[in-house]
Amino acid sequence: MQLYVIEAGNFKLDGGAMFGVVPKPLWGKTNPADEKNRIEMATRSLLVEDGNRLILIDTGMGNKQDDKFFSHYGLWGSHTLDGSLKKAGFHRDDITDVFFTHLHFDHCGGAIERSKNGILIPAFKNAKFWVHESHWDWAINPNPREKASFLAENIFPLKENGQLNFIIGKGPLLEQTPFPFSILLIDGHTEKQMLPLLNYKGKKLFYVADLIPTVGHIPIPYIMGYDTRPLLTLKEKSSFLHHAFLEEALLLLEHDPHHELVSLRQTEKGIRMDANFSFDSYFNS
């Protein structure tokens, strides 16, 4: 198995929304805000090469929305999904599987594109799309709190062409999966978010998606205002970090543009980041 980090693009989100009840003087130490109170965010995908399979974990937000939509998110930087795939030696048509941690727009939007005549089509024509069955039901019948994150143009076209496949299981840990990794199911952020847990070159590597979007979210109470069940996130994150620390796991952060791969340490205040690494320098140097 070979892994590649795929940078799909950078954006900004309101810092207050990203940290919920945590006061700005605290979260601002790790995630400084701009004049509009927005913090810098990444959309960092992971590409898993396993034999003849190329599995892309999340796709970023894509580029099919209009300028008004993107104006809210302060796009910045030069990363693109296609550019990062090319740098790794691949093309989107090479992708055999697209695995969605969940279907919020910044995680799945890049899977659907708009053709020249305006039709919504899969951006990965040769891939199977994978989502948890319970999360699919949650996303197609969105609650008012999450409705703005579940965009119909990102979700329904996934199924219309017959490429959609479901993961089934209550978890919390799914070890028998169609992938070369196990899956941890997390319900605090949204129903049945799926976190890939990988063994890679002698290390445990956890792709933590929106359980821990940035280094600033490692402290247990630092929970996003977007989470539908924050008290459950509190419990899930505490348990996850405890086991990750004991297993000396590395965390691959999906949304932190300045921290890609981090190790953990125990402190008087709880588990915190120990060291920050570039994925390539850690595994390929």
Side-chain angles (χ1 to χ4, degrees), residues 166-178:
F166 293 123
I167 300 295
I168 301 172
K170 294 183 179 180
L173 183 64
L174 304 180
E175 297 187 89
Q176 302 298 319
T177 77

Side-chain angles (χ1 to χ4, degrees), residues 11-284:
F11 67 112
K12 295 182 179 182
L13 276 180
D14 182 80
M18 283 299 296
F19 285 93
V21 300
V22 178
K24 184 176 181 179
L26 296 181
W27 58 255
K29 295 176 182 178
T30 55
N31 299 74
D34 67 9
E35 68 281 358
K36 294 183 179 180
N37 205 47
R38 301 178 303 183
I39 64 171
E40 294 182 342
M41 301 278 286
T43 52
R44 181 175 294 117
S45 301
L46 183 64
L47 183 63
V48 181
E49 183 180 19
D50 185 57
N52 294 324
R53 296 178 73 185
L54 275 177
I55 305 161
L56 182 65
I57 300 173
D58 283 352
T59 66
M61 64 175 65
N63 58 12
K64 65 181 174 296
Q65 309 297 337
D66 59 24
D67 291 341
K68 182 179 179 181
F69 176 89
F70 287 120
S71 69
H72 297 298
Y73 299 104
L75 304 187
W76 61 279
S78 59
H79 293 307
T80 66
L81 181 61
D82 285 329
S84 295
L85 285 172
K86 183 178 180 180
K87 183 179 179 181
F90 302 105
H91 185 273
R92 65 172 61 192
D93 292 348
D94 300 326
I95 304 300
T96 61
D97 303 85
V98 176
F99 175 100
F100 298 114
T101 59
H102 59 299
L103 295 174
H104 289 171
F105 71 88
D106 54 321
H107 294 258
C108 73
I112 300 297
E113 63 182 353
R114 200 176 299 276
S115 68
K116 293 180 180 179
N117 59 2
I119 297 175
L120 295 171
I121 60 174
F124 302 91
K125 64 181 182 181
N126 298 317
K128 295 179 179 179
F129 297 130
W130 296 90
V131 66
H132 194 279
E133 184 177 47
S134 295
H135 182 70
W136 175 262
D137 292 338
W138 182 272
I140 63 174
N141 299 288
N143 59 78
R145 185 181 176 89
E146 282 185 279
K147 190 173 182 179
S149 294
F150 290 128
L151 305 183
E153 60 268 33
N154 288 337
I155 295 174
F156 291 102
L158 296 173
K159 189 176 184 180
E160 290 169 357
N161 66 339
Q163 290 176 244
L164 184 63
N165 295 265
F166 293 123
I167 300 295
I168 301 172
K170 294 183 179 180
L173 183 64
L174 304 180
E175 297 187 89
Q176 302 298 319
T177 77
F179 311 103
F181 50 80
S182 55
I183 298 169
L184 180 65
L185 299 179
I186 296 292
D187 295 313
H189 178 58
T190 187
E191 179 73 10
K192 295 295 179 289
Q193 179 183 194
M194 300 194 294
L195 306 187
L197 311 180
L198 306 96
N199 291 301
Y200 186 58
K201 297 187 177 182
K203 292 293 293 185
K204 290 187 179 295
L205 175 66
F206 297 164
Y207 185 87
V208 290
D210 276 353
L211 177 63
I212 305 173
T214 75
V215 160
H217 291 86
I218 292 177
I220 301 299
Y222 287 43
I223 293 171
M224 290 189 290
Y226 297 109
D227 285 21
T228 59
R229 307 176 182 109
L231 292 180
L232 181 54
T233 297
L234 197 77
K235 181 179 179 180
E236 291 172 334
K237 187 161 65 164
S238 177
S239 175
F240 173 83
L241 284 171
H242 174 73
H243 289 291
F245 171 72
L246 291 179
E247 294 179 355
E248 298 182 348
L250 297 169
L251 309 186
L252 183 62
L253 302 176
E254 184 166 9
H255 283 315
D256 193 323
H258 309 295
H259 301 85
E260 187 171 287
L261 187 71
V262 302
S263 58
L264 301 172
R265 62 186 174 93
Q266 184 71 56
T267 74
E268 293 180 353
K269 294 183 178 181
I271 293 174
R272 297 292 188 270
M273 180 184 76
D274 182 32
N276 174 37
F277 308 97
S278 157
F279 185 91
D280 285 339
S281 66
Y282 188 92
F283 285 111
N284 300 320

